[in-house]
Amino acid sequence: MHRPRHRLTGISLRPARVLALLVAFSLAAIACDPSTGTPAPASPTARLASPTGTAAPPTDSPEAVYRRIEEQVSAIRGLAPTKAVTPQFVTKAELGTVLARILEEDTPPEELRKAELLYRTLGLMTGEPTLEELFLDLLQSQVAGLYDARTEALYVLSKSGGVGPVEQVFFAHEFQHALQDQHFDLEALQDLPLDQGDRILAQQALVEGDAYALMAQWLFAHLGAAGIGALLEASNDPEAKAALDAIPEIVQAQILFPATQGTVFVQGLQLAGGWAAVDAAFADPPRSTEQILHPEKYAAREAPIEVSVPTDPAGAMGDGWTEVLRDTLGEHQLEIWLDAPAAGGPGPASAAAAAVGWGGDRLILFESSTAAAAAIVTEWDSPEDALEFAEAAQVALDARGLIGGVVRQSGSRTVTVLIATTDDAATRLDLVFGSTGV
């Protein structure tokens, strides 16, 4: 599945449109409560307290403000900067230009075309506009800051042109990305093959979750009630809400999952073992969204199962068929595909339950001059998990109005979902991957 390449990992999102901030608020409040018995942060100066601090005085120069925040972030996180970082406070148009340039450089048009073909084949995207237009609109409407690991540039959206409470919060977030890069090398961390999408998303969740968890602790310790009020007021952005609502859920997930689930994952590590546990995770990062969603599987280092697929399946499809891409969906994106409530599908709770027990998967997308087809070969932890997924997958196929079928032998832990845009393509796919009777 398509997702932003490495340089778009270090982003902060508008507070109203991402649940991570609310999650971070609640978890930081738990961490503030002495009754929880949770460990204190690494530095004594970083100990959490009620948000009685105050935002930077308006007479302070921007340089003084962000230097003070750098010191505060470093103290909380226990990471000292190894080089100076100079933020660029930019307008929405200027940030949009940066995002468009990075998207164009990191994700060529042909890659976006393949991703769009996949989404449409799986019934996750319909109508207009194009994926590139949708994705760029989402970034421009939701992103409030960006750290570019390749150029080491840090950008923060500033509507007022100054450094108010909102800008301070997002600078704290982006500066943490700079510290990550200096200590853990973000480009090297995320230098993964494009066909390992689930693993890429899981590692993005670690990177973003660390920045959001830090941001929440800085906010509670240093922003103050007035600053928090300003942040909440700024979160009421109807234009941003409308832009998010217009985006297919699968596209939203590429940005929101690392922020929301990543925050929960990192807060769990931090509350259990302090920031040292988070540092250790950067040295041994999660390998699947399953490990993010179920931290006990990360603790056990339960690795994804290597899934076997037929040799040269495009050739077996017949003349005129080519393989477009291979990828791994993972538990999170399979859950999204299973959930088709608007079309009478299983709904979020059932979809989530049916995706639990994921062991591994491999997706292959094919196309000809007249059709497209996709096979998703999945492995599950038990035959019972496989059966539950197979039943939910059939419901999702029917609910989305897709041509295809579900292949599972009785008692097997392997389930293959076949989807095509024409009956002929479905028949060809069936001959290669299994006997579904489609």
Side-chain angles (χ1 to χ4, degrees), residues 19 21 32 35 60 97 135-136 141 186 207 213 253 259 279 288 292 303 306 309 340 371 373 379 391 398 400 402:
L19 295 177
L21 187 61
C32 292
S35 67
D60 279 6
T97 299
F135 195 69
L136 189 56
S141 68
L186 291 183
V207 173
D279 293 346
S288 67
I292 297 294
E306 294 290 335
V309 296
E379 294 287 341
E391 292 174 345
D398 296 340
R400 294 185 182 278
L402 301 173

Side-chain angles (χ1 to χ4, degrees), residues 172-414:
H173 180 108
E174 298 308 327
F175 183 67
Q176 173 55 22
H177 283 310
L179 290 178
Q180 292 170 343
D181 194 28
Q182 293 174 12
H183 286 266
F184 309 121
D185 192 349
L186 291 183
E187 282 204 284
L189 176 72
Q190 298 167 331
D191 187 18
L192 296 169
L194 282 176
D195 67 350
Q196 296 296 320
D198 184 58
R199 188 172 180 179
I200 292 172
L201 194 58
Q203 294 196 7
Q204 287 179 348
L206 171 63
V207 173
E208 289 303 326
D210 179 31
Y212 274 101
L214 177 283
M215 184 180 80
Q217 293 200 15
W218 177 87
L219 184 153
F220 263 75
H222 297 292
L223 190 60
I228 293 173
L231 184 66
L232 294 175
E233 182 179 355
S235 73
N236 185 21
D237 188 337
E239 181 181 350
K241 180 180 184 302
L244 187 66
D245 291 343
I247 301 296
E249 184 180 5
I250 191 64
V251 181
Q252 296 179 30
Q254 305 305 320
I255 292 183
L256 298 184
F257 178 86
T260 55
Q261 296 300 326
T263 301
V264 175
F265 176 78
V266 169
Q267 284 279 14
L269 292 176
Q270 196 268 329
L271 291 174
W275 289 115
V278 182
D279 293 346
F282 276 92
D284 183 15
R287 298 184 60 188
S288 67
T289 56
E290 179 189 49
Q291 291 186 346
I292 297 294
L293 291 165
H294 310 284
E296 69 277 7
K297 293 181 179 289
Y298 173 72
R301 300 303 189 269
E302 183 176 314
I305 297 170
E306 294 290 335
V307 176
S308 299
V309 296
T311 302
D312 188 23
M317 290 280 287
D319 293 341
W321 283 91
T322 60
E323 182 176 314
V324 177
L325 60 79
R326 293 191 185 203
D327 205 349
T328 296
L329 295 180
E331 179 178 337
H332 172 61
Q333 292 184 111
L334 277 175
E335 176 186 332
I336 291 173
W337 180 77
L338 288 172
D339 179 20
S350 297
V356 171
W358 175 91
D361 73 74
R362 206 66 177 141
L363 175 146
I364 308 179
L365 177 68
F366 309 91
E367 71 175 337
S368 70
S369 60
T370 59
I376 309 171
V377 185
T378 66
E379 294 287 341
W380 297 85
D381 290 343
S382 70
E384 292 75 20
D385 291 326
L387 177 60
E388 185 176 10
F389 170 74
E391 292 174 345
Q394 186 61 60
V395 172
L397 280 172
D398 296 340
R400 294 185 182 278
L402 301 173
I403 301 170
V406 179
V407 182
R408 177 180 179 269
Q409 300 299 322
S410 178
S412 174
R413 297 191 302 174
T414 304

Side-chain angles (χ1 to χ4, degrees), residues 107-185:
T107 310
E110 177 61 13
E111 293 301 316
L112 283 171
R113 185 196 73 80
K114 293 176 182 179
E116 182 170 338
L117 177 63
L118 176 61
Y119 294 154
R120 294 186 185 279
T121 302
L122 298 185
L124 291 165
M125 180 178 175
T126 59
E128 299 292 339
T130 66
L131 177 61
E132 181 176 11
E133 292 168 336
L134 286 171
F135 195 69
L136 189 56
D137 284 348
L138 177 64
L139 289 174
Q140 292 179 338
S141 68
Q142 305 302 316
V143 175
L146 168 69
Y147 175 76
D148 185 338
R150 188 178 302 172
T151 64
E152 299 182 356
L154 190 159
Y155 305 92
V156 175
L157 178 66
S158 177
K159 290 185 176 181
S160 65
V163 189
V166 176
E167 288 80 13
Q168 292 175 47
V169 168
F170 291 123
F171 173 68
H173 180 108
E174 298 308 327
F175 183 67
Q176 173 55 22
H177 283 310
L179 290 178
Q180 292 170 343
D181 194 28
Q182 293 174 12
H183 286 266
F184 309 121
D185 192 349

